[in-house]
Amino acid sequence: MRYEISGAWFDARVAKRVVVISFPLMGTMVGNLLMMLVDRLCLAHYSQDTLAASGPAVFTSLAIIAFFCSTVGVSRSFIAQANGRSGLDEAANEGALGLLLGIACAALLLVAAPLIAMIPHLSSRPPQIVSLESQYMFWAAIFGSVMTVDTALSSFFNGVGRTRETLIIGIVGQVVDSIFTVGLVFGRFGLPEMGMGGAAIGTLIGTLAMLTCYAVMLPREVWLALMNIFTGRGKQLLHRLSFRLRRGAPSGVCAGMDQLGNTAFIWIVAVLGASALAANNVNLTINYLGIIPIIGLGIGCSILCATAAGERRYTDLAMILRVTVIIELCYVLLISSIQVTLPQVLLKAFGDLGHNPQTVALAIDTQRVLWTFSAAFIFSMTGAAVLESIGMARFTLVVRLVLMWAISIPLIYYVAMSNRNVPSSLITCWVIGSVFEFLIGAIYFWRIAKAIREAENRLHIDPEPACEDAV
């Protein structure tokens, strides 16, 4: 869709376009979070062993799956650029190539399932916990392979701006997942009681339902382009596939490192004591609900930026990014106001801290600084999405590795270990994480500004320079 962007500081038409594209994506992101929460809640209520095993198993599985899904998900940017450059025909060709990459990554993850199931055996946890973790992670590799193909399919719809379809299909998958997860964990609705494995199998059934919907709704042109690839009529297939993988792999590694970083934070703050661990677990859920919609806005922004880059309208990226950040800041202002003024209400809704006044007080105090991370996340997430849309995921990976894993995580570890059994240090750990998240975002925005000035687009060779007023 081509439209003229004014030279004003804020363009209402761009804001409307961002909202139209991003709102369904926000719903999809919240739905994905709810799918994860259904697993955790069911396993938490099934037994103490499944509660203990669910944390490491779910987070480790998510880190592995995030790598494959994000590697394939870069296809969204290729498709959006192709759609802006030449229309739906070229977008269909890029979508077919992305689907081929998704199938290849899914096959690799499927083959690796037995190896992934062995990861828990490397720990020193009790044998019954290790057995449950191994059982979940085996099935997680299987449903992760389906998720990888789902990501490839959804990338086409998102890349061409048809985000409502992904929302509808996501809702279908979430409903199916919830029914089968509850049924298979507890043995309800006439289904067998399978406990830990039932949670993963329920998710597998939900992802298969989504796969079926995507396959039915995918345009005929994409299937024909995929058929041409399989019959050997695709042009420069190996070169294009290798190029796609080189652009997508850094994004996949970055997503996996993010998940591992979240997991590391959980385990590090556990040394602060039981009160800090309980307060942190509840606030993580509240924080996720606050920042997950920002991911939808960031992805919507990246789609519009990729489309503009495909049209060689590089200066439009600045307006799209500025409008998106303003919308995100308004959203964070609203959510943060609720977190600061109504902490008790949120704690009752999303966690059970018992009757320990110290734990409740710590959870409230921590919740009142969550806004710092939400505000910082606007810049890091949106900046990373825009850089990925122009083929600079490798830059985001290097920055995150240096600032997060070489400085932020070690610093948080030092603070936690220096204040063992001092629960109030949890607040300091959150603030440290927020500061470094903002620094990451600031560097991303600096790189975006440089890319706009120099008309850089590493997903497509473009010899034309940007105009002089690129900002």
Side-chain angles (χ1 to χ4, degrees), residues 211-234:
L211 178 62
T212 303
C213 294
Y214 278 128
V216 171
M217 297 178 65
L218 194 68
R220 181 170 173 267
E221 290 79 6
V222 181
W223 290 118
L224 289 175
L226 182 64
M227 188 180 300
N228 288 335
I229 291 175
F230 280 120
T231 55
R233 285 181 282 179

Side-chain angles (χ1 to χ4, degrees), residues 31-39 42 136 143 147 170-185 189 191 198-210:
N32 291 340
L33 174 63
L34 292 176
M35 287 178 73
M36 183 185 74
L37 290 178
V38 167
D39 275 11
C42 287
Y136 182 91
F143 75 64
M147 279 185 173
I171 292 173
V172 171
Q174 290 143 23
V175 170
V176 173
D177 170 73
S178 299
I179 293 172
F180 278 92
T181 296
V182 173
L184 290 170
V185 170
F189 315 128
L191 298 170
I201 295 174
T203 304
L204 171 61
I205 295 172
T207 55
L208 285 171
M210 294 172 65

Side-chain angles (χ1 to χ4, degrees), residues 74-136:
V74 76
S75 297
R76 176 185 64 243
S77 299
F78 280 92
I79 293 165
Q81 285 206 16
N83 187 43
R85 185 167 54 246
S86 305
L88 287 176
D89 288 339
E90 188 176 346
N93 290 328
E94 294 291 349
L97 188 64
L99 182 53
L100 177 63
L101 180 61
I103 293 171
C105 288
L108 181 61
L109 186 54
L110 199 60
V111 171
L115 295 176
I116 292 173
M118 295 175 63
I119 292 176
H121 293 278
L122 301 175
S123 72
S124 58
R125 288 186 288 274
Q128 70 273 18
I129 302 298
V130 170
S131 176
L132 290 171
E133 291 173 355
S134 179
Q135 183 183 5
Y136 182 91

Side-chain angles (χ1 to χ4, degrees), residues 227-266:
M227 188 180 300
N228 288 335
I229 291 175
F230 280 120
T231 55
R233 285 181 282 179
K235 296 181 179 179
Q236 299 180 323
L237 174 60
L238 290 179
H239 173 73
R240 293 173 60 205
L241 197 60
S242 174
F243 182 72
R244 178 75 58 92
L245 190 59
R246 290 199 306 274
R247 290 293 179 263
S251 180
V253 174
C254 195
M257 297 300 286
D258 268 349
Q259 288 292 340
L260 289 176
N262 294 336
T263 306
F265 182 81
I266 294 170

Side-chain angles (χ1 to χ4, degrees), residues 265-282 353 356 358-360 362-363 366 412-413 415-427 429-430:
F265 182 81
I266 294 170
W267 290 115
I268 289 171
V269 301
V271 306
L272 299 175
S275 294
L277 181 60
N280 190 55
N281 286 339
V282 174
L353 298 177
N356 187 329
Q358 182 187 21
T359 303
V360 173
L362 179 60
T366 305
I412 291 172
Y413 178 79
V415 170
M417 295 302 293
S418 301
N419 297 274
R420 294 176 70 93
N421 299 315
V422 182
S424 59
S425 297
L426 175 64
I427 299 171
C429 293
W430 270 97

Side-chain angles (χ1 to χ4, degrees), residues 267-332:
W267 290 115
I268 289 171
V269 301
V271 306
L272 299 175
S275 294
L277 181 60
N280 190 55
N281 286 339
V282 174
N283 278 311
L284 278 173
T285 302
I286 296 172
N287 183 60
Y288 280 141
L289 290 172
I291 67 174
I292 286 295
I294 296 175
I295 299 177
L297 282 164
I299 294 174
C301 175
S302 74
I303 292 169
L304 293 176
C305 286
T307 304
E311 297 173 354
R312 298 191 178 96
R313 299 170 60 170
Y314 297 103
T315 54
D316 290 358
L317 272 65
M319 174 62 77
I320 295 169
L321 186 57
R322 183 163 59 241
V323 168
T324 302
V325 169
I326 291 172
I327 295 172
E328 290 171 335
L329 286 172
C330 291
Y331 168 79
V332 167

